[in-house]
Amino acid sequence: MIRQLNLLLVLTCLGTVHSPASARRVRQAPAPLALVTDVAAQPVLAQADRIAEALAILGAPLSRQEAGALAAAHRATDDAKAVSAVQSLLDKRCIAGITINPESRVKLARGPADANLLEQGWRIYLVKVHNEAGVTAPLALVSPNAQSVFDSGGFVNASDRALRPRMGINGNDRHTKPTPSARTRWMDLALFNKQPMNPTLSGLKLDYAIIQIYSRDSGSREGKLIFSVGQGRQDPGFRNEIDLLFEAKPSSDLTLNVRDEHGQKTTAMYVIKDSLGRVYPSQAKRLAPDFAFHPQVYRDDGGTVRLPKGAYTITCARGPEYLPETRPFNMPARAASVAFQLKRWIDPAKDGWWSGDHHIHAAGCAHYDNPSEGVHAPDMALHCRGEDLKIGSNLTWGPCFDYQKQFFTGKDDKVSQYPYLLRYDIEVSGFGSHQSGHLCLLRLKDQMYPGGDSWKHWPTLGLNTLKWAKKQGAVTGPAHSGNGLGIPPGPLPSEVVPRFDGIGAIEYIVDVTHMVEGPDGKPTPAIDFMSTVDTPYENELNIWYHTLNCGYRTRISGETDFPCISGERVGMGRSYVKLPGKLDYESWCEGIRQGKCYVSDGMSHLMNFRVGSRSVGDEGSELRMSAPGNVRVRADVGALLGVERDPTKPQGGYWHLERARIGSSREVPVEVLVNGKSVGQRTITADGATREVAFDIPIARSAWVAMRILGSSHTNPVFVLVGDKPIRGSQKSAEWCIKAVEQCWSQKQRTYRPEEMADAVAAYDHARREYRRILEESNGLEP
C-alpha cells in the first residue's frame, strides 16, 4: 500500500533585511536537478505534451527551440534517451525539485530556473517530482506570504503606507492594527491543475506540476512556499524548506482617465483581466480602498493601477444608470494611460430623483476577519461615487461598534463631495434587540442609547429602541426585511404565515401598530419604512402588503447591506427620493419617511408615480374621493435589459430586472396594484427609453394603489380614501396579522430580558387588540 505523505516546500517573505536566524539558513542557488531514470518514455512524453499545451494556455508557451527539442524526444527510439531529453527540456523551467523516497520521506532541491518575477504580474514555473513512492494524492500549494492582506486581521499599518502609491492609492492610511503586516503578504500563488493537467500526481516515477507566482511588489523579496501531498507525517531530518530570493521587475503605472456624459471628470469602477481571466490588481493583495471580495476597483479621474506589460481587457462602468464599456488594452513596458467617456441610459437625478442606499457598512462581514477595525469614510465614499450613488448611509453595528463609533458626528462626513453624501448612522445588529429583527436608525443626532458608551446595555425589545430613536427625530425601519419570513411560491399577499425565525422584519408585525412620541412631543409611527431589494421580494412584499391592507402606512426603501448580504457593490438596492431643491441627507431621509420614493435595483425606474391628482409623497400621499369611481394611474417608466438573458443574474434572493423578463425577449410587465392585487398590466420593452405608462382603474372603496415591475422596482403607495373611510384591504390580511403576532411571540419571547418582559407583553397585547379591531372592521372584505 502506498503511504500518503505531507510534503512542505515553503517560501516566506522577510524583505531585504535578514534576521540572524534567516542568515543561518542556506539559500540555495539555481542548480541542475537530478536525472530520473528507469521510467517508461511513453507516459513521460504524453505528460510533456500536456505541459506544453498548458503552458501555451497560460501564456508561457515553449519557444521554437524548446518545441523542436520536444519533437526530437518523440522521435528518439531509445526510451532512456527520450526521458533524458524531456528532463533536459523541462527542468530548465523548474523552480524546485521534490523527491519522495520509497518510505515517502521528502527531500527538496532548488531548481535551475531563475527567480525573476513581475510586480503586479504572474510568472509560470514548473516543479519536478521524483515520485519513488508512487504517490497519487493531489498537490496543494499555500504560503504564509500568499495569505490575503484581509485575513486574520491583516490590516495596513504605518510601515505599509509606502505600498499605497504603488497601487495608485492616495490619501493617508488610518488603519492601526500592527500585525500581521501586509508587507509580508506580498505574494499570490496558484497551482494549475485544470485540463489538460491532472488534479493529482500520476503515480509515475517522474511527474511535473505547474505553479504560478504573483508579486504585489517590485524589488527583492525572500520567502517560503508550502506544498502538501496527502495527509502523512513530515519526517524530521529531511530538508523540506527552500529559501528563495526573488527579484521582481517593476511594472508601470496605467493612468485611468474618465469623463461623465457632460465631459466632466468623474469616478468609475474598473475590472481589469488578462487573457486567462485573472483579475488585476490581485484581490488577495489589495489594500483599502480596493476590497478583496469583488473584482472591481474604483478610481477618480487620473487614478492609477500598476500593470506589467501584456494584453488585458478593461471594463469601465459607473453604476446601473450608465452603460458599461469593455475594450482590449495592450499595456506597454512603460507608463501609459487609457481614457473612457461614460454614457448614461437614464438620469433620474436630472428630474429630482436622488439615489441612495440606506444600509452599507465600513466594517464587518466580508471586510475583514476582525471587523472591529474595517475601512474608513474615504474608502466608502470612493465606492459610492464610483457607483453614482448619491447617498450612502454608513451604518455602525455590533462587532465593529466600539471602533467605528468614533466616526459618528450626526452630520455629513467631511469626505462628502456634493452631490455624493456619506453619513454615519446605526444598525442594531449583533447587540440589543437584534434577535427580534435588525433595525436601521437613520438621521440620528445621538448614536448612543442612554446608560452606557458601547453596545451591551441596549434594550432587547425593538420597540424600546424605536421609542428612543423616534424621540430624536430618527427615520427607522427593519433591515433585510425578508429574512425569516419565507413563504412558498404563489400569489401575493400569501395566506401562509412564515416562521418568523430570522432577523428581518420580525418584530415589525408588532411595532407597526404602535405610535410613539416624536421630537415635537406628538405621536408618530414607531416604524417609518421596510427595507427591500436585498432579500427575496416575495418575503418582503408579503408582510408589507398585509400591513398596508390593515391601514398602516409603512413605506419601503431600498438597501444592499454591503458587504454582508452582498459584497458585489454598494447600491445594489436603491431608493430614489424625489426632492424639489438641493439634495441633503436630512431631506432624503425625510423623503423615505414620507414615501416620496420608489425602490429599484437601478435597472428599472418608476418615476413621477401619481394617482389622479395626487403624486406619491405629496400631502401624505393621500387622495380623497367622495364616492367610488375611476382614477387614472400614471408613471414614467424606463428599463434596460441586454438583448441576451444574463445567466449570472439574478443571484439568490436579490431583486434584478432579469426576474421580470418575459421569456427570452426584452419585454417586462408593469403592473398596477390595488390592495396588493394586480388589477392591470402593460408590457414595455426594456430598451432604455422612458415612456409614460397609464391605467384607468376603478376604486370601489378606500384602498392603497401602487405600481411595480415585480422583482426589479416598486413605487410607494398612494392612499385613496373613499368617503373618509379607513383602508381595510381584506379580512384575510387582518387574520394573517393576528396569526403572525402569535407566531412572532412564540419565536422571540425568549430573546427579551426579564426586566423588559412586561414591556414586551404590553407591546404584543397592544398589537393583538389593534389587529382584532381591524378584523372586525374588515369582516367580509376581499381585496
Side-chain angles (χ1 to χ4, degrees), residues 428-436 449-465 507 745 747-764:
V428 180
S429 171
F431 64 92
S433 59
H434 68 119
Q435 292 187 70
S436 59
Y449 190 85
D453 61 359
S454 185
W455 52 267
K456 295 181 181 179
H457 66 286
W458 286 58
T460 56
L461 179 65
L463 183 60
N464 285 340
T465 301
E507 194 186 300
W745 179 254
Q747 296 295 310
K748 300 304 178 182
Q749 176 186 6
R750 61 176 178 79
T751 69
Y752 303 126
R753 292 193 189 109
E755 57 269 29
E756 292 181 82
M757 190 57 68
D759 288 345
V761 169
Y764 278 73

Side-chain angles (χ1 to χ4, degrees), residues 37 200 249 447 523 538 543 620 696 712 753 775:
T37 58
T200 66
K249 182 180 178 181
Q447 69 170 336
E538 301 92 338
I543 190 171
D696 290 303
S712 179
R753 292 193 189 109
L775 176 60

Side-chain angles (χ1 to χ4, degrees), residues 260-304:
D260 66 14
E261 67 274 21
H262 304 297
Q264 300 299 309
K265 296 179 180 180
T266 191
T267 309
M269 59 139 280
Y270 301 89
V271 177
I272 304 171
K273 296 183 178 181
D274 64 17
S275 58
L276 297 174
R278 293 180 300 208
V279 174
Y280 294 77
S282 169
Q283 288 177 239
K285 302 295 105 180
R286 293 181 179 181
L287 308 175
D290 299 341
F291 299 158
F293 45 80
H294 53 214
Q296 74 268 23
V297 296
Y298 295 87
R299 293 292 185 270
D300 292 318
D301 176 75
T304 61

Side-chain angles (χ1 to χ4, degrees), residues 271-503:
V271 177
I272 304 171
K273 296 183 178 181
D274 64 17
S275 58
L276 297 174
R278 293 180 300 208
V279 174
Y280 294 77
S282 169
Q283 288 177 239
K285 302 295 105 180
R286 293 181 179 181
L287 308 175
D290 299 341
F291 299 158
F293 45 80
H294 53 214
Q296 74 268 23
V297 296
Y298 295 87
R299 293 292 185 270
D300 292 318
D301 176 75
T304 61
V305 293
R306 301 280 293 179
L307 287 179
K309 180 181 178 181
Y312 301 89
T313 59
I314 303 177
T315 298
C316 177
R318 193 170 187 246
E321 298 167 25
Y322 282 86
L323 300 172
E325 180 185 356
T326 300
R327 68 172 71 160
F329 180 77
N330 289 312
M331 181 68 185
R334 63 181 186 279
S337 65
V338 62
F340 288 89
Q341 176 69 57
L342 294 171
K343 297 179 180 179
R344 278 187 179 273
W345 69 272
I346 196 166
D347 189 4
K350 184 178 180 181
D351 295 321
W353 293 94
W354 298 96
S355 64
D357 186 341
H358 73 250
H359 192 166
I360 61 177
H361 294 297
C365 297
H367 273 303
Y368 302 113
D369 283 347
N370 183 352
S372 65
E373 293 283 345
V375 299
H376 296 86
D379 310 319
M380 298 303 296
L382 177 67
H383 284 237
C384 291
R385 293 196 305 273
E387 292 292 337
D388 190 35
L389 184 69
K390 303 303 195 298
I391 295 285
S393 297
N394 217 20
L395 304 185
T396 300
W397 66 293
C400 62
F401 192 93
D402 285 333
Y403 180 75
Q404 292 283 328
K405 68 183 182 184
Q406 66 182 298
F407 304 120
F408 176 87
T409 63
K411 301 177 182 178
D412 295 347
D413 193 273
K414 62 183 180 182
V415 303
S416 300
Q417 301 175 20
Y418 187 84
Y420 301 99
L421 309 180
L422 189 78
R423 176 82 68 95
Y424 280 83
D425 268 317
I426 294 293
E427 180 191 6
V428 180
S429 171
F431 64 92
S433 59
H434 68 119
Q435 292 187 70
S436 59
H438 294 189
L439 293 171
C440 296
L441 309 179
L442 311 179
R443 205 172 65 178
L444 289 170
K445 296 180 175 61
D446 180 1
Q447 69 170 336
M448 197 63 63
Y449 190 85
D453 61 359
S454 185
W455 52 267
K456 295 181 181 179
H457 66 286
W458 286 58
T460 56
L461 179 65
L463 183 60
N464 285 340
T465 301
L466 293 168
K467 290 177 178 178
W468 162 75
K470 295 300 294 181
K471 180 63 177 174
Q472 59 177 294
V475 176
T476 61
H480 33 72
S481 299
N483 186 286
L485 298 177
I487 56 172
L492 293 173
S494 171
E495 295 182 31
V496 176
V497 177
R499 293 178 58 86
F500 280 79
D501 58 354
I503 52 174

Side-chain angles (χ1 to χ4, degrees), residues 514-542:
H514 285 263
M515 301 291 285
V516 298
E517 186 179 356
D520 57 0
K522 296 179 181 179
T524 187
I527 293 285
D528 296 308
F529 67 89
M530 274 188 52
S531 299
T532 58
V533 187
D534 61 345
T535 55
Y537 66 80
E538 301 92 338
N539 302 2
E540 298 166 348
L541 298 181
N542 185 54

Side-chain angles (χ1 to χ4, degrees), residues 117-120 166 217-219 247-252 306-309 333:
L117 301 177
L118 289 170
E119 178 196 11
Q120 299 286 326
R166 306 294 288 177
D217 307 330
S218 63
E247 289 291 334
K249 182 180 178 181
S251 292
S252 303
R306 301 280 293 179
L307 287 179
K309 180 181 178 181

